[in-house]
mmCIF file of all heavy atoms in Angstrom:
data_model
loop_
_atom_site.group_PDB
_atom_site.id
_atom_site.type_symbol
_atom_site.label_atom_id
_atom_site.label_comp_id
_atom_site.label_asym_id
_atom_site.label_seq_id
_atom_site.Cartn_x
_atom_site.Cartn_y
_atom_site.Cartn_z
ATOM 1 N N THR A 82 0.546 12.954 6.537
ATOM 2 C CA THR A 82 0.436 12.894 5.095
ATOM 3 C C THR A 82 1.588 11.942 4.608
ATOM 4 O O THR A 82 2.606 11.909 5.433
ATOM 5 C CB THR A 82 0.517 14.218 4.376
ATOM 6 O OG1 THR A 82 1.892 14.760 4.673
ATOM 7 C CG2 THR A 82 -0.463 15.217 5.030
ATOM 8 N N THR A 83 1.501 11.401 3.471
ATOM 9 C CA THR A 83 2.715 10.641 2.905
ATOM 10 C C THR A 83 3.968 11.484 2.759
ATOM 11 O O THR A 83 5.118 11.132 3.164
ATOM 12 C CB THR A 83 2.271 10.088 1.538
ATOM 13 O OG1 THR A 83 1.100 9.163 1.703
ATOM 14 C CG2 THR A 83 3.440 9.344 0.981
ATOM 15 N N GLU A 84 3.768 12.792 2.558
ATOM 16 C CA GLU A 84 4.861 13.696 2.237
ATOM 17 C C GLU A 84 5.607 13.887 3.729
ATOM 18 O O GLU A 84 6.877 14.274 3.652
ATOM 19 C CB GLU A 84 4.434 15.198 1.873
ATOM 20 C CG GLU A 84 3.618 15.045 0.489
ATOM 21 C CD GLU A 84 4.678 14.679 -0.593
ATOM 22 O OE1 GLU A 84 5.775 15.221 -0.735
ATOM 23 O OE2 GLU A 84 4.432 13.608 -1.198
ATOM 24 N N GLU A 85 4.941 13.758 4.805
ATOM 25 C CA GLU A 85 5.562 13.880 6.053
ATOM 26 C C GLU A 85 6.470 12.676 6.420
ATOM 27 O O GLU A 85 7.101 12.753 7.493
ATOM 28 C CB GLU A 85 4.651 14.193 7.200
ATOM 29 C CG GLU A 85 3.907 15.581 7.021
ATOM 30 C CD GLU A 85 2.668 15.761 8.015
ATOM 31 O OE1 GLU A 85 2.111 14.639 8.406
ATOM 32 O OE2 GLU A 85 2.317 16.799 8.242
ATOM 33 N N VAL A 86 6.376 11.606 5.714
ATOM 34 C CA VAL A 86 7.106 10.372 6.146
ATOM 35 C C VAL A 86 8.426 10.235 5.313
ATOM 36 O O VAL A 86 8.442 10.390 4.173
ATOM 37 C CB VAL A 86 6.231 9.123 5.806
ATOM 38 C CG1 VAL A 86 6.959 7.844 6.130
ATOM 39 C CG2 VAL A 86 4.962 9.229 6.577
ATOM 40 N N PHE A 87 9.404 9.920 6.098
ATOM 41 C CA PHE A 87 10.734 9.611 5.418
ATOM 42 C C PHE A 87 11.223 8.321 5.879
ATOM 43 O O PHE A 87 11.507 8.126 7.017
ATOM 44 C CB PHE A 87 11.691 10.710 5.753
ATOM 45 C CG PHE A 87 12.216 11.495 4.653
ATOM 46 C CD1 PHE A 87 11.466 12.524 4.238
ATOM 47 C CD2 PHE A 87 13.323 11.189 3.824
ATOM 48 C CE1 PHE A 87 11.771 13.289 2.998
ATOM 49 C CE2 PHE A 87 13.733 11.823 2.665
ATOM 50 C CZ PHE A 87 12.977 12.907 2.302
ATOM 51 N N GLY A 88 11.361 7.370 5.025
ATOM 52 C CA GLY A 88 11.740 5.992 5.307
ATOM 53 C C GLY A 88 13.109 5.677 4.693
ATOM 54 O O GLY A 88 13.484 6.298 3.751
ATOM 55 N N SER A 89 13.808 4.648 5.097
ATOM 56 C CA SER A 89 15.164 4.346 4.574
ATOM 57 C C SER A 89 14.880 3.803 3.063
ATOM 58 O O SER A 89 15.832 4.004 2.304
ATOM 59 C CB SER A 89 15.833 3.172 5.523
ATOM 60 O OG SER A 89 15.009 2.028 5.417
ATOM 61 N N SER A 90 13.868 3.136 2.739
ATOM 62 C CA SER A 90 13.713 2.636 1.426
ATOM 63 C C SER A 90 13.513 3.868 0.510
ATOM 64 O O SER A 90 14.111 3.854 -0.683
ATOM 65 C CB SER A 90 12.490 1.738 1.271
ATOM 66 O OG SER A 90 12.618 0.584 1.837
ATOM 67 N N TYR A 91 12.814 4.919 0.835
ATOM 68 C CA TYR A 91 12.534 6.139 0.134
ATOM 69 C C TYR A 91 13.959 6.812 -0.152
ATOM 70 O O TYR A 91 14.232 7.285 -1.193
ATOM 71 C CB TYR A 91 11.602 7.080 0.743
ATOM 72 C CG TYR A 91 11.327 8.276 0.050
ATOM 73 C CD1 TYR A 91 10.893 8.271 -1.407
ATOM 74 C CD2 TYR A 91 11.336 9.548 0.662
ATOM 75 C CE1 TYR A 91 10.605 9.491 -1.980
ATOM 76 C CE2 TYR A 91 11.124 10.710 -0.058
ATOM 77 C CZ TYR A 91 10.867 10.739 -1.349
ATOM 78 O OH TYR A 91 10.505 11.961 -1.974
ATOM 79 N N SER A 92 14.630 7.001 0.968
ATOM 80 C CA SER A 92 16.004 7.594 0.987
ATOM 81 C C SER A 92 16.933 6.902 0.060
ATOM 82 O O SER A 92 17.516 7.613 -0.769
ATOM 83 C CB SER A 92 16.413 7.576 2.482
ATOM 84 O OG SER A 92 17.687 8.266 2.577
ATOM 85 N N ALA A 93 16.940 5.561 -0.008
ATOM 86 C CA ALA A 93 17.750 4.795 -0.801
ATOM 87 C C ALA A 93 17.350 4.951 -2.262
ATOM 88 O O ALA A 93 18.252 5.151 -3.193
ATOM 89 C CB ALA A 93 17.668 3.313 -0.407
ATOM 90 N N SER A 94 16.060 5.092 -2.547
ATOM 91 C CA SER A 94 15.577 5.181 -3.907
ATOM 92 C C SER A 94 16.040 6.543 -4.444
ATOM 93 O O SER A 94 16.342 6.688 -5.605
ATOM 94 C CB SER A 94 14.120 5.085 -3.918
ATOM 95 O OG SER A 94 13.653 3.731 -3.456
ATOM 96 N N ILE A 95 15.802 7.574 -3.656
ATOM 97 C CA ILE A 95 16.177 9.071 -4.180
ATOM 98 C C ILE A 95 17.676 9.059 -4.420
ATOM 99 O O ILE A 95 18.109 9.593 -5.442
ATOM 100 C CB ILE A 95 15.923 9.882 -2.947
ATOM 101 C CG1 ILE A 95 14.418 10.223 -2.854
ATOM 102 C CG2 ILE A 95 16.664 11.273 -3.225
ATOM 103 C CD1 ILE A 95 13.992 11.261 -1.804
ATOM 104 N N TYR A 96 18.416 8.383 -3.594
ATOM 105 C CA TYR A 96 19.886 8.327 -3.802
ATOM 106 C C TYR A 96 20.247 7.619 -5.138
ATOM 107 O O TYR A 96 20.982 8.065 -5.849
ATOM 108 C CB TYR A 96 20.566 7.606 -2.601
ATOM 109 C CG TYR A 96 22.020 7.729 -2.662
ATOM 110 C CD1 TYR A 96 22.768 8.769 -2.328
ATOM 111 C CD2 TYR A 96 22.777 6.510 -3.199
ATOM 112 C CE1 TYR A 96 24.162 8.822 -2.390
ATOM 113 C CE2 TYR A 96 24.119 6.584 -3.323
ATOM 114 C CZ TYR A 96 24.836 7.576 -2.937
ATOM 115 O OH TYR A 96 26.302 7.633 -3.040
ATOM 116 N N ILE A 97 19.552 6.473 -5.446
ATOM 117 C CA ILE A 97 19.900 5.654 -6.593
ATOM 118 C C ILE A 97 19.452 6.453 -7.835
ATOM 119 O O ILE A 97 20.125 6.381 -8.921
ATOM 120 C CB ILE A 97 19.120 4.335 -6.565
ATOM 121 C CG1 ILE A 97 19.756 3.526 -5.592
ATOM 122 C CG2 ILE A 97 19.175 3.661 -7.897
ATOM 123 C CD1 ILE A 97 18.899 2.339 -5.119
ATOM 124 N N SER A 98 18.287 7.207 -7.732
ATOM 125 C CA SER A 98 17.786 7.919 -9.074
ATOM 126 C C SER A 98 18.537 9.213 -9.161
ATOM 127 O O SER A 98 18.703 9.532 -10.384
ATOM 128 C CB SER A 98 16.346 8.038 -8.804
ATOM 129 O OG SER A 98 15.888 8.950 -7.820
ATOM 130 N N ARG A 99 18.818 9.935 -8.087
ATOM 131 C CA ARG A 99 19.290 11.312 -8.149
ATOM 132 C C ARG A 99 20.641 11.579 -8.051
ATOM 133 O O ARG A 99 21.204 12.533 -8.623
ATOM 134 C CB ARG A 99 18.412 12.321 -7.404
ATOM 135 C CG ARG A 99 16.880 12.072 -7.523
ATOM 136 C CD ARG A 99 16.040 13.038 -6.831
ATOM 137 N NE ARG A 99 14.754 12.625 -6.712
ATOM 138 C CZ ARG A 99 13.622 13.140 -6.101
ATOM 139 N NH1 ARG A 99 13.978 14.325 -5.557
ATOM 140 N NH2 ARG A 99 12.482 12.724 -6.133
ATOM 141 N N ILE A 100 21.282 10.930 -7.254
ATOM 142 C CA ILE A 100 22.665 11.190 -6.660
ATOM 143 C C ILE A 100 23.686 10.191 -7.240
ATOM 144 O O ILE A 100 24.763 10.710 -7.813
ATOM 145 C CB ILE A 100 22.759 11.255 -5.145
ATOM 146 C CG1 ILE A 100 21.797 12.307 -4.567
ATOM 147 C CG2 ILE A 100 24.122 11.500 -4.727
ATOM 148 C CD1 ILE A 100 21.557 12.458 -3.310
ATOM 149 N N LEU A 101 23.386 8.956 -7.235
ATOM 150 C CA LEU A 101 24.366 7.946 -7.694
ATOM 151 C C LEU A 101 24.813 8.073 -9.151
ATOM 152 O O LEU A 101 26.045 7.963 -9.422
ATOM 153 C CB LEU A 101 23.794 6.474 -7.487
ATOM 154 C CG LEU A 101 24.727 5.355 -7.159
ATOM 155 C CD1 LEU A 101 25.710 5.690 -6.125
ATOM 156 C CD2 LEU A 101 23.985 4.167 -6.770
ATOM 157 N N PRO A 102 23.922 8.332 -10.031
ATOM 158 C CA PRO A 102 24.330 8.542 -11.539
ATOM 159 C C PRO A 102 25.379 9.663 -11.722
ATOM 160 O O PRO A 102 26.125 9.610 -12.682
ATOM 161 C CB PRO A 102 23.049 8.856 -12.237
ATOM 162 C CG PRO A 102 21.931 8.348 -11.321
ATOM 163 C CD PRO A 102 22.473 8.617 -9.912
ATOM 164 N N GLN A 103 25.484 10.644 -10.845
ATOM 165 C CA GLN A 103 26.369 11.743 -11.002
ATOM 166 C C GLN A 103 27.826 11.160 -10.739
ATOM 167 O O GLN A 103 28.756 11.539 -11.473
ATOM 168 C CB GLN A 103 26.124 12.793 -9.906
ATOM 169 C CG GLN A 103 24.811 13.616 -10.220
ATOM 170 C CD GLN A 103 24.372 14.433 -9.016
ATOM 171 O OE1 GLN A 103 25.244 14.704 -8.171
ATOM 172 N NE2 GLN A 103 23.130 14.774 -8.957
ATOM 173 N N SER A 104 28.133 10.289 -9.800
ATOM 174 C CA SER A 104 29.313 9.740 -9.485
ATOM 175 C C SER A 104 29.580 8.593 -10.231
ATOM 176 O O SER A 104 30.764 8.128 -10.371
ATOM 177 C CB SER A 104 29.641 9.496 -7.932
ATOM 178 O OG SER A 104 28.467 8.666 -7.462
ATOM 179 N N HIS A 105 28.667 7.798 -10.677
ATOM 180 C CA HIS A 105 28.765 6.498 -11.494
ATOM 181 C C HIS A 105 28.024 6.587 -12.774
ATOM 182 O O HIS A 105 26.848 6.161 -12.899
ATOM 183 C CB HIS A 105 28.250 5.318 -10.623
ATOM 184 C CG HIS A 105 28.900 5.188 -9.369
ATOM 185 N ND1 HIS A 105 28.816 5.993 -8.215
ATOM 186 C CD2 HIS A 105 29.895 4.216 -9.042
ATOM 187 C CE1 HIS A 105 29.549 5.649 -7.233
ATOM 188 N NE2 HIS A 105 30.308 4.520 -7.646
#
Side-chain angles (χ1 to χ4, degrees):
Chain A
T82 67
T83 301
E84 296 300 298
E85 290 170 339
V86 176
F87 245 84
S89 60
S90 291
Y91 180 56
S92 185
S94 299
I95 287 181
Y96 184 83
I97 294 167
S98 68
R99 307 184 193 179
I100 300 176
L101 209 49
Q103 294 166 20
S104 53
H105 296 75

